[in-house]
């Protein structure tokens, strides 16, 4: 019923009506997130800080099994790649809704995706010049993720992208990233002046939450490297088939890097059309799993479980051979020349 209404509305307000399924989450969260913060502020004003309010607020904001959190961050990603925006005509003002209005409630600095993600990460595809690459870390070691997280924090907050753009003298990107950072900092400063404890519990906590969560996801997306061809995107970006948490086809990360212009509804078909290229590279494809599960296997070194979900398109590898292939790719590192 809801999607049926969204389909009809999308034809009138969206540039591409195929994105109709964005609308229920976008409009709901635009009201839900600030309303929750207003409720938390009221409870804080009338009774001071409460751990019960803290836990209720974040549970309702994130949603059961992270559903609201996950859909909001995928919306931010999709919006960041929509150069012309998602809406048309008089509705174009809604192009600002996700990253400039809802995003900060979920720890996202505006312009992070549109500028830092697009103009750095997609420029280098996790290469050594990417400000949050993991290519220099041995991903078989759990401590490598600990090393990676501060690096990702600097990226997520806009600090390292801004330094990168200043070094490259890319004025347009300096202004865009700087504007998003200033906006986010101003909102945080306003809440801090109201109540530092409230600011930490209800504003900075989502920032820490998103850094920890997405540093792990980013680390996983590019965990595997072909030691003989480090720029082989079929290997160093993963694909998950029949994923249990595949929101708007985000699990096809190779397509996202190779062909970001392909609409998300067409991504599975695009994968099938180019499957011979995946086969030729012995691509990093997994099946019947999800990102969180794969991270647990990596961090606990359950290589057999990881290998059991690896897809050998040629159908020639044994479980032991799959495990050794994955370990070789996880251990492969590169370092910048001094």
């Amino acid at each position: 019923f809801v999607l049926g209404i969204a389909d009809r509305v999308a034809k009138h307000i969206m540039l591409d009506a195929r994105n109709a399924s964005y609308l229920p989450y976008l409009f709901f969260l635009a009201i839900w997130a600030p309303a929750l913060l207003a409720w938390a502020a009221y409870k804080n004003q009338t009774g001071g800080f409460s751990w019960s309010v803290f836990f209720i607020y974040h549970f309702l904001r994130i949603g059961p099994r992270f559903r609201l959190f996950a859909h909001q961050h995928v919306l931010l990603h999709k919006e960041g790649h929509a150069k012309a925006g998602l809406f048309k005509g008089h509705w174009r003002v809604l192009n600002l809704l996700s990253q400039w209005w809802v995003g900060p409630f979920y720890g996202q600095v505006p312009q992070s995706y549109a500028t830092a993600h697009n103009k750095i990460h997609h420029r280098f595809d996790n290469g050594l010049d990417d400000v949050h690459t993991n290519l220099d870390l041995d991903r078989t070691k759990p401590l490598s993720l600990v090393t990676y997280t501060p690096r990702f924090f600097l990226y997520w907050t806009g600090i390292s992208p801004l330094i990168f753009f200043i070094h490259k003298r890319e004025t347009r990107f300096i202004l865009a990233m700087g504007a998003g950072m200033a906006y986010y900092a101003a909102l945080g400063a306003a809440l801090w002046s109201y109540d530092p404890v409230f600011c930490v519990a209800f504003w900075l906590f989502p920032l820490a939450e998103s850094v920890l969560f997405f540093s792990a996801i980013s680390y996983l997306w590019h965990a595997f490297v072909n030691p003989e061809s480090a720029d082989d995107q079929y290997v160093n970006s993963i694909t998950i088939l029949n994923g249990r948490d595949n929101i708007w086809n985000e699990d096809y990360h190779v397509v996202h890097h190779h062909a970001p212009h392909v609409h998300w509804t067409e991504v599975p078909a695009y994968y099938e059309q180019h499957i011979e290229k995946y086969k030729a590279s012995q691509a990093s494809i997994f099946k019947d799993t999800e990102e969180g599960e794969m991270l647990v296997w990596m961090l606990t070194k359950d290589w057999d479980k990881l290998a059991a979900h690896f897809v050998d398109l040629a159908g020639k590898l044994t479980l032991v051979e799959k495990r050794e292939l994955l370990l070789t790719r996880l251990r492969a590192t590169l370092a910048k020349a001094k």
Side-chain angles (χ1 to χ4, degrees):
F1 173 74
V2 173
L3 290 177
I5 294 175
D7 285 336
R8 291 193 290 273
V9 172
K11 294 175 183 177
H12 298 284
I13 69 174
M14 302 193 82
L15 285 170
D16 192 332
R18 292 176 297 176
N19 294 326
S21 57
Y22 296 173
L23 295 180
Y25 287 98
L26 184 60
F27 291 147
F28 174 74
L29 290 170
I31 299 171
W32 183 246
L36 282 176
L37 189 65
W39 169 77
Y42 169 76
K43 298 294 286 186
N44 186 75
Q45 190 69 23
T46 56
F49 176 77
S50 165
W51 282 108
S52 62
V53 172
F54 173 83
F55 285 113
I56 292 170
Y57 171 81
H58 289 299
F59 174 77
L60 293 176
R61 179 181 58 86
I62 293 170
R65 202 177 179 273
F66 305 97
R67 291 305 82 198
L68 298 180
F69 172 89
H71 280 82
Q72 169 56 25
H73 279 283
V74 176
L75 275 174
L76 289 165
H77 189 204
K78 298 297 188 187
E79 184 182 88
H81 278 281
K83 187 176 181 180
L86 298 173
F87 296 91
K88 63 184 178 182
H90 299 300
W91 299 95
R92 283 179 296 178
V93 66
L94 295 178
N95 288 325
L96 304 176
L97 196 60
S98 190
Q99 63 176 320
W100 289 90
W101 177 243
V102 185
F105 293 98
Y106 288 85
Q108 189 259 345
V109 176
Q111 289 296 331
S112 177
Y113 278 108
T115 306
H117 177 74
N118 282 352
K119 307 305 178 184
I120 299 179
H121 183 59
H122 277 269
R123 184 187 300 187
F124 300 114
D125 293 320
N126 195 54
L128 290 173
D129 290 321
D130 194 335
V131 296
H132 67 293
T133 184
N134 62 2
L135 199 56
D136 59 327
L137 302 172
D138 183 343
R139 279 87 56 203
T140 64
K141 299 178 179 179
L143 282 177
S144 290
L145 179 57
V146 178
T147 302
Y148 179 76
T149 301
R151 184 182 302 179
F152 188 85
F153 168 80
L154 293 175
Y155 156 76
W156 189 258
T157 54
I159 297 171
S160 58
L162 186 62
I163 293 172
F164 175 91
F165 294 133
I166 291 173
H167 179 72
K168 295 291 185 179
R169 299 181 180 180
E170 296 176 328
T171 305
R172 180 161 63 96
F173 303 143
I174 293 171
L175 295 175
M177 194 69 253
M181 294 171 70
Y183 174 80
Y184 185 83
L187 293 175
L191 287 173
W192 185 273
S193 66
Y194 161 66
D195 185 332
V197 174
F198 183 86
C199 180
V200 171
F202 297 97
W203 190 255
L204 296 182
F205 180 87
L207 175 64
E209 161 197 275
S210 61
V211 167
L212 291 174
F213 185 88
F214 286 104
S215 63
I217 295 298
S218 175
Y219 183 82
L220 172 69
W221 281 134
H222 301 288
F224 303 94
V225 176
N226 182 347
E228 298 177 359
S229 179
D231 59 353
D232 185 345
Q233 284 295 307
Y234 294 98
V235 173
N236 70 17
S237 291
I238 71 171
T239 298
I240 302 177
L241 305 177
N242 300 332
R244 293 195 288 266
D245 202 15
N246 182 25
I247 300 173
W248 292 310
N249 285 326
E250 289 286 280
D251 281 355
Y252 293 85
H253 205 63
V254 172
V255 178
H256 174 63
H257 272 270
H258 262 300
H261 62 280
V262 176
H263 193 266
W264 65 269
T265 58
E266 300 174 348
V267 163
Y270 189 89
Y271 161 77
E272 293 293 344
Q273 292 165 8
H274 296 81
I275 199 167
E276 290 302 320
K277 293 182 179 179
Y278 287 78
K279 185 182 295 185
S281 290
Q282 193 66 276
S284 300
I285 303 174
F286 299 85
K287 189 175 183 180
D288 299 326
T289 185
E290 59 185 79
E291 293 85 346
E293 203 170 42
M294 292 179 64
L295 279 164
V296 169
W297 297 334
M298 283 178 57
L299 295 176
T300 59
K301 299 189 176 185
D302 192 346
W303 308 125
D304 284 343
K305 186 62 70 68
L306 190 66
H309 288 264
F310 177 75
V311 177
D312 171 24
L313 291 175
K316 296 180 179 179
L317 300 180
T318 65
L319 180 65
V320 172
E321 289 171 333
K322 288 180 180 180
R323 184 182 64 203
E324 291 308 310
L325 175 66
L326 293 176
L327 285 171
T328 297
R329 291 175 172 182
L330 287 168
R331 292 187 181 114
T333 59
L334 290 178
K336 287 186 177 180
K338 295 183 180 180

